[in-house]
Amino acid sequence: MFLSFLAILVGLAILVWSADRFIDGAASLASYLGMSPLLIGIVIIGFGTSAPEIIVSALSALNHSPGIALGNAYGSNITNIALILGVTAMIKPIMVNSQVLKKELPVLMLVTLLSAFLIYDATISRLDALILLAVFTFYMGWTIWQGTRHSGDSLEQDISDELKEKSQMPLKTAVLWLVIGLALLMASSQLLVWGAVNIATYLGVSDLIIGLTIVAIGTSLPELAASIMAARKNELDLAVGNIIGSNLFNTLAVVGIAGAISPIQATPEVFSRDMLVMIALTGLLFLFGYGFKGKNGRINRVEGLVLFLCYVAYNSLLIYTAL
C-alpha cells in the first residue's frame, strides 16, 4: 500500500516536471520551424498540456484498466472547468476577448454532446474511437487554418508574450528536452497507473473513481499551473485557451486513442453521473465565457465560486459513492 502511494506521488511529480520540459522543447522547436505564436499555443502547447492524459489513458487501456482511461479523460475535463477555471476566476476575473476562443467554445459544446451520444450505450467501441479521432483530425486541420487567418488576435498576443519570457533554446537542446520529456512522461505515467490500480484494488473501489479523482487531478496539474500563471500576468485569454484546448484534446484524442487500443466497457454511472456533470459544466463555461450581443465573455469571481462549489459537490458525491 505504501509503495502504491509512493508510486503515485513520484509518478505525479515526474509527470508534471517532464510535461513542462516537453512543452518547452516542443515550443522552441516549433519556433525554429517558423510556426506563428498562435499555432504554437493552440497546437503545440495544447498537445503538451494534454500529453499526461493521453499517455496515462493509453497505458491504462493497454493494462486493461478502462475505468482509469475514461475517468482520467472525463475527470480532467471536469477538473479543468470547475476547479482550475473556478480558482483562476476567483483570483482574477477572466475576460474572454479572443475571437478564436469564441469560435472554439461552441465546438467544445458540440464535441461534448457527441461524446455523450457515443458513451450512452456504456461502450466506446473501436468504431466510436475512430469517429472521435476523425473529428479530432478535422478539428486540428480547422484550428491550423484558423490560426493562419487570425493575425493580431488577443490570444496570439498573450501567447507571444508568454513565449518571449521563455529563453529560446538552442535547436539541439530543444530536441533533447522533447525526447527526454516524452520518455519521462511515459515512464511516470506507467508508474502512476500501477499505483492507482493497486490502491483501487486495496480499497475495494472502482478504478473509475481513482481515475476521476487522484489521476484526473494529477494529470491536470500542468493546466492548473499554466492558468494561474496566465491570470497573474493578465494573459486571461491564454488561461481560458489552455482549458478549452485541453478539454477538446481529452474528449477526442485521449478517449479516441484509448478506445482504439482496446474497446472500453463503461459502467452506467459514467453517463448518468460523470458525463452529465461534464455537459452541465461545459454549458456553464459556454454561457459565462462566450458573450452575447457583441459583448465580451466574462467569468467573474462569483461565477468562479459557483464553478468551484460544483467541483466540491461532485467530488463529495464521488467520495460518498466510494464509501
Side-chain angles (χ1 to χ4, degrees):
M1 186 67 172
F2 172 76
L3 284 178
S4 298
F5 273 113
L6 185 62
I8 287 179
L9 291 176
V10 172
L12 285 175
I14 298 175
L15 191 76
V16 173
W17 184 84
S18 58
D20 196 36
R21 301 288 81 74
F22 176 80
I23 292 168
D24 287 347
S28 292
L29 181 60
S31 181
Y32 275 111
L33 295 176
M35 288 181 67
S36 72
L38 186 59
L39 286 180
I40 291 175
I42 294 175
V43 179
I44 304 300
I45 297 178
F47 173 77
T49 54
S50 292
E53 286 92 340
I54 292 173
I55 296 175
V56 166
S57 287
L59 290 174
S60 298
L62 286 170
N63 292 334
H64 306 291
S65 301
I68 291 181
L70 276 183
N72 175 38
Y74 296 156
S76 291
N77 283 4
I78 292 168
T79 301
N80 285 345
I81 297 174
L83 176 63
I84 296 176
L85 272 188
V87 169
T88 302
M90 285 192 291
I91 293 172
K92 187 165 190 175
I94 299 172
M95 294 293 294
V96 183
N97 302 306
S98 169
Q99 294 304 309
V100 173
L101 294 184
K102 289 183 179 179
K103 290 182 179 179
E104 289 200 344
L105 276 169
V107 172
L108 177 59
M109 191 72 240
L110 291 174
V111 164
T112 303
L113 293 174
L114 170 65
S115 185
F117 174 76
L118 295 178
I119 199 66
Y120 181 73
D121 60 356
T123 303
I124 295 292
S125 65
R126 281 202 169 91
L127 176 60
D128 295 336
L130 290 175
I131 291 172
L132 291 173
L133 291 174
V135 174
F136 176 71
T137 302
F138 175 81
Y139 162 73
M140 289 305 299
W142 176 78
T143 298
I144 292 171
W145 179 70
Q146 288 284 313
T148 61
R149 296 178 64 248
H150 284 82
S151 179
D153 187 86
S154 58
L155 177 61
E156 182 172 20
Q157 186 59 51
D158 280 357
I159 295 169
S160 182
D161 292 342
E162 185 69 18
L163 292 174
K164 285 177 183 176
E165 293 185 9
K166 296 179 180 290
S167 57
Q168 182 70 19
M169 300 178 185
L171 181 58
K172 289 183 179 178
T173 305
V175 173
L176 181 65
W177 277 126
L178 186 67
V179 173
I180 291 175
L182 182 59
L184 288 176
L185 270 171
M186 295 181 69
S188 58
S189 296
Q190 181 66 60
L191 191 63
L192 175 61
V193 170
W194 177 82
V197 170
N198 284 352
I199 287 177
T201 303
Y202 181 84
L203 296 177
V205 301
S206 69
D207 57 357
L208 174 67
I209 296 293
I210 298 296
L212 287 165
T213 52
I214 297 174
V215 178
I217 293 172
T219 56
S220 294
L221 288 177
E223 288 90 344
L224 176 61
S227 294
I228 290 177
M229 288 301 295
R232 291 181 64 184
K233 297 174 186 176
N234 207 36
E235 298 166 349
L236 300 176
D237 281 321
L238 184 56
V240 180
N242 284 333
I243 300 307
I244 295 175
S246 178
N247 282 22
L248 284 165
F249 270 84
N250 291 343
T251 307
L252 296 172
V254 174
V255 177
I257 290 171
I261 292 172
S262 178
I264 299 172
Q265 295 294 326
T267 53
E269 58 264 28
V270 170
F271 179 85
S272 62
R273 180 191 62 205
D274 309 316
M275 180 55 70
L276 293 183
V277 169
M278 194 169 90
I279 291 172
L281 287 171
T282 304
L284 283 177
L285 175 59
F286 178 80
L287 289 174
F288 293 162
Y290 187 76
F292 297 93
K293 296 182 179 179
K295 296 181 180 179
N296 288 326
R298 176 183 170 89
I299 305 174
N300 60 35
R301 286 191 172 92
V302 173
E303 291 164 344
L305 178 62
V306 169
L307 292 174
F308 178 73
L309 291 177
C310 287
Y311 182 76
V312 172
Y314 171 70
N315 277 270
S316 299
L317 175 62
L318 290 181
I319 294 170
Y320 175 79
T321 302
L323 294 176

